[in-house]
Amino acid sequence: MIISKEVFGKTADGISVDLYTLTNANGVKTRITNYGGIVVSLEVADREGKIDDVVLGYNSLAEYIKDSPYFGAVVGRCGNRIAKGRFTLDGVEYKLAVNNGENHLHGGLKGFDKVVWEAEEVETPEGVGLKLSYLSKDGEEGYPGNLRCVVTYTLTNDNELKINYEAETDKATPINLTHHSYFNLAGEGNGDILGHELMLNADSYTPVDEGLIPTGEIKSVKDSPIDFTEPAAIGSRISQVEGGYDHNYVLNRDNEDLLSLAARVYEQGSGRVMEVYTTEPGVQFYSGNFLDGSLAGKSGEAYGKHYGFCLETQHFPDSPNKANFPSVILNPGEKYSHITVYKFATR
Ligand code: GLA
């Protein structure tokens, strides 16, 4: 197990940013930067032992700063959309930054994906890690309270990328942290993900309106192209889903506090399997619908439509405005704590 560090570049305001390389006992390797907590690469073996980088991204910090659709980043203070960027908490109406039509998306104009985190290398019996800390100040992007966040990535010797999210606040605030890697189990830049076989452990989802804001309904996936309770190729019914998949699934869970299986993805050509476990009640399955070939990634290949997919574990979108959804409010004195694991194997 090894961790090494190099300079990745500088932000526009001259802050130096690093790139950490974590290698586990089996040679699985990931590179993570403290700019946005971005997972820049993740190298895992296929069934023959051939290594590929299975996440989309860039080679340089400048490219991430210039234009990135949240490649590999930590997303916060609230992932996904909050309708019209407004919510009321304890009788006070808050107005958040609006950056997606009339709505707030992924934390606003300068979300957690665009800030520099403090980094500390950690070694635990289960693997090597990087502990990232960030203080989001009271009023940042419109959110109330000073929020201290710690996100720890651990590359375990069981070939898992494990993410621990922790936070504390001094005023009640919504919080909904997630991770935005775009995966391609055949290797980044290596075509689209429509042939990947997906299973989602979810019997229902939260339907949305034209602005992708949940209507509040929790609807069964049964008899619809949204249903992935049985493994199916991502592309098998995608033409029946307007715009492609960009849906929040309500996960089937036995125990609210423990990690449970959210998803399993299999790519036949390489034999790679990725399983996702989480303590969160939901997962956003996004099939890379907005990738349009205008961004070229690490291998120089243009990332076309559906060249990667995201499984963003989360509380449901627009929760601050939906009383029937599990609450995203963190109060002073409480500890926010969630875990998500992306586990790799071959078949
Ligand atoms: C999430 C959203 C999508 C899109 C992507 C990033 O998955 O739900 O609509 O914003 O992030 O482009």
Side-chain angles (χ1 to χ4, degrees):
M1 302 189 295
I2 333 167
I3 311 183
S4 64
K5 170 179 163 180
E6 64 198 271
V7 172
F8 197 34
K10 273 200 172 109
T11 64
D13 18 339
I15 306 171
S16 180
V17 168
D18 294 315
L19 183 64
Y20 295 81
T21 303
L22 282 59
T23 310
N24 79 0
N26 314 315
V28 174
K29 200 190 266 189
T30 183
R31 291 184 302 152
I32 302 174
T33 171
N34 60 322
Y35 176 80
I38 294 171
V39 173
V40 171
S41 64
L42 180 56
E43 294 176 22
V44 290
D46 71 1
R47 64 161 85 80
E48 314 295 345
K50 179 177 166 273
I51 306 291
D52 280 301
D53 181 356
V54 296
V55 293
L56 275 55
Y58 296 125
N59 291 317
S60 71
L61 177 66
E63 289 166 289
Y64 281 105
I65 293 175
K66 188 170 165 245
D67 189 8
S68 170
Y70 306 92
F71 283 147
V74 173
V75 173
R77 191 177 291 199
C78 281
N80 213 279
R81 292 174 183 78
I82 295 177
K84 301 193 167 72
R86 287 175 192 222
F87 65 92
T88 302
L89 184 55
D90 299 331
V92 180
E93 182 177 84
Y94 291 94
K95 291 186 184 142
L96 303 176
V98 163
N99 60 325
N100 186 250
E102 55 174 15
N103 302 320
H104 175 87
L105 175 69
H106 291 336
L109 294 164
K110 191 177 179 185
F112 291 4
D113 59 298
K114 295 180 185 67
V115 300
V116 178
W117 296 65
E118 241 167 74
E120 192 190 320
E121 300 166 27
V122 287
E123 267 189 59
T124 65
E126 62 175 348
V128 284
L130 189 68
K131 182 173 169 182
L132 299 170
S133 310
Y134 176 65
L135 169 64
S136 169
K137 297 231 174 87
D138 189 6
E140 193 177 284
E141 300 298 307
Y143 286 104
N146 291 296
L147 182 75
R148 287 191 176 278
C149 298
V150 178
V151 174
T152 308
Y153 285 105
T154 307
L155 183 63
T156 75
N157 293 324
D158 287 332
N159 300 342
E160 301 161 326
L161 181 66
K162 182 173 182 178
I163 314 176
N164 285 66
Y165 301 93
E166 292 165 300
E168 287 184 90
T169 184
D170 60 5
K171 254 190 217 169
T173 178
I175 172 172
N176 192 7
L177 304 180
T178 188
H179 176 72
H180 213 297
S181 272
Y182 288 69
F183 297 95
N184 185 327
L185 299 184
E188 64 82 31
N190 213 347
D192 66 48
I193 48 75
L194 297 177
H196 286 47
E197 197 181 86
L198 171 69
M199 185 285 296
L200 287 171
N201 186 17
D203 293 337
S204 49
Y205 74 111
T206 52
V208 290
D209 66 17
E210 320 74 63
L212 298 182
I213 298 294
T215 60
E217 188 191 355
I218 293 186
K219 192 174 175 179
S220 168
V221 296
K222 220 173 168 4
D223 302 320
S224 82
I226 307 290
D227 188 356
F228 282 97
T229 50
E230 293 296 327
I234 292 174
S236 59
R237 295 156 298 162
I238 198 167
S239 62
Q240 300 168 43
V241 182
E242 215 194 307
Y245 295 99
D246 195 354
H247 295 76
N248 173 66
Y249 284 78
V250 178
L251 294 169
N252 303 332
R253 293 188 302 163
D254 306 330
N255 184 309
E256 303 237 319
D257 301 318
L258 298 180
L259 281 174
S260 51
L261 180 70
R264 184 179 293 117
V265 190
Y266 171 60
E267 200 278 312
Q268 211 174 7
S270 63
R272 290 191 185 91
V273 180
M274 181 176 82
E275 286 181 334
V276 184
Y277 296 85
T278 188
T279 56
E280 289 281 8
V283 67
Q284 186 82 13
F285 167 47
Y286 170 58
S287 54
N289 314 324
F290 299 130
L291 297 174
D292 60 4
S294 60
L295 305 173
K298 288 171 276 191
S299 51
E301 287 303 313
Y303 292 143
K305 196 170 183 180
H306 309 311
Y307 264 45
F309 68 90
C310 303
L311 288 167
E312 304 155 63
T313 57
Q314 61 184 6
H315 271 55
F316 311 163
D318 201 30
S319 286
N321 295 309
K322 298 284 187 302
N324 61 321
F325 287 178
S327 172
V328 290
I329 305 302
L330 180 71
N331 293 297
E334 293 174 353
K335 279 196 162 61
Y336 174 87
S337 168
H338 276 288
I339 306 178
T340 293
V341 174
Y342 297 93
K343 184 180 170 86
F344 295 88
T346 56
R347 205 191 273 168

